[in-house]
């Protein structure tokens, strides 16, 4: 009974927030798409090397460092500890999808354990590949930790896609995904998800 009451309260709270967000019927104006996805890595060189050599991304630029020895600039700008140091940022161009931004930070309160996908804040990045079986074999040949797969979805709206999770050397989840013949949802979709053809 207590669990049901808590779930009901949470649902009511979420509905109240969503009605506030949609109260004027307008989202943030002018959104055109995802410019980049950012990840903090333990070592910028290792991160750049992985995305360059394993996933064929191109390093476009680097900049930094950013820090504030006395004030609250870092906290005010990006919501991190005031004494956090952003040593370097590397921007990577990856195929015809979004850019990837890699950060190397140090901070007095830095956590070094990566969240699992089931944890709050858990995340992964998926790369579309033309031939998933070949891509997974290459990942294995490179000595990367791979999980079950390629796993093909045969039912539901995502039927037609095959996936395989891979770990970076520092423990971040990367997904390889392919759906060369499209996915089932596309048959009746008014809006389609990004794909290499669009």
């Amino acid at each position: 009974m207590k669990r049901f009451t808590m779930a009901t309260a949470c649902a009511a709270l979420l509905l109240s927030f969503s009605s506030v967000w949609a109260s004027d019927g307008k989202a943030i104006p002018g959104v055109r798409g995802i410019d980049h996805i950012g990840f903090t890595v333990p070592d910028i060189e290792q991160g750049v090397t992985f995305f360059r050599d394993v996933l064929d991304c191109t390093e476009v630029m680097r900049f930094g460092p950013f820090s504030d020895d006395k004030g609250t600039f870092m906290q005010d700008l990006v919501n991190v500890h005031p004494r956090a140091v952003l040593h370097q940022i590397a921007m990577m161009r990856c195929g015809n999808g979004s850019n990837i931004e890699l950060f190397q930070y140090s901070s007095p309160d830095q956590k070094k354990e990566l969240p699992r996908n089931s944890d709050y804040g858990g995340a992964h990045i998926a790369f579309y590949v033309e031939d998933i079986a070949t891509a997974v074999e290459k990942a294995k040949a490179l000595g990367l930790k791979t999980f079950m797969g390629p796993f093909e979805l045969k039912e539901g709206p995502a039927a037609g896609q095959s996936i395989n999770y891979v770990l970076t050397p520092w423990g971040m989840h990367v997904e390889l995904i392919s759906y060369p013949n499209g996915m089932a949802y596309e048959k009746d979709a008014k809006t389609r998800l990004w794909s290499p053809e669009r």
Side-chain angles (χ1 to χ4, degrees):
M1 184 67 171
K2 189 174 183 181
R3 181 180 287 171
F4 177 76
T5 305
M6 182 61 91
T8 305
C10 288
L13 187 61
L14 285 173
L15 285 173
S16 69
F17 277 135
S18 64
S19 64
V20 169
W21 291 331
S23 62
D24 64 0
K26 296 180 180 177
I28 293 173
V31 173
R32 300 283 303 276
I34 296 172
D35 180 80
H36 67 269
I37 300 163
F39 297 103
T40 298
V41 296
D43 180 272
I44 201 79
E45 296 301 337
Q46 182 187 45
V48 167
T49 299
F50 176 84
F51 283 101
R52 183 191 65 219
D53 295 353
V54 175
L55 293 164
D56 203 26
C57 300
T58 301
E59 181 182 349
V60 177
M61 66 174 168
R62 289 195 197 194
F63 53 104
F66 296 97
S67 64
D68 184 349
D69 294 340
K70 297 177 182 176
T72 60
F73 170 75
M74 295 299 290
Q75 182 177 355
D76 297 342
L77 184 68
V78 288
N79 194 33
V80 296
H81 191 283
R83 299 291 82 77
V85 177
L86 179 46
H87 297 281
Q88 201 164 51
I89 299 171
M91 295 296 300
M92 310 286 293
R93 180 77 175 117
C94 301
N96 68 346
S98 298
N99 304 306
I100 293 176
E101 183 176 31
L102 302 177
F103 302 98
Q104 183 177 333
Y105 270 103
S106 61
S107 179
D109 61 351
Q110 188 171 47
K111 295 177 183 175
K112 297 185 178 178
E113 182 178 325
L114 291 173
R116 295 165 299 174
N117 278 327
S118 55
D119 295 333
Y120 288 1
H124 71 277
I125 184 168
F127 287 86
Y128 188 93
V129 294
E130 293 177 359
D131 182 331
I132 195 161
T134 301
V136 172
E137 285 307 310
K138 181 63 174 179
K140 289 178 179 177
L142 291 168
L144 298 174
K145 164 80 173 163
T146 61
F147 294 88
M148 184 181 78
F151 176 75
E152 182 181 356
L153 281 80
K154 297 185 178 180
E155 297 178 355
Q161 72 171 232
S162 294
I163 66 165
N164 212 126
Y165 270 65
V166 175
L167 280 187
T168 67
W170 62 92
M172 185 178 124
H173 289 97
V174 171
E175 180 183 350
L176 303 176
I177 185 169
S178 193
Y179 39 91
N181 298 311
M183 287 184 272
Y185 87 92
E186 294 174 1
K187 180 181 174 189
D188 301 315
K190 293 178 182 173
T191 302
R192 291 188 176 193
L193 297 170
W194 175 92
S195 76
E197 289 76 36
R198 288 186 276 288

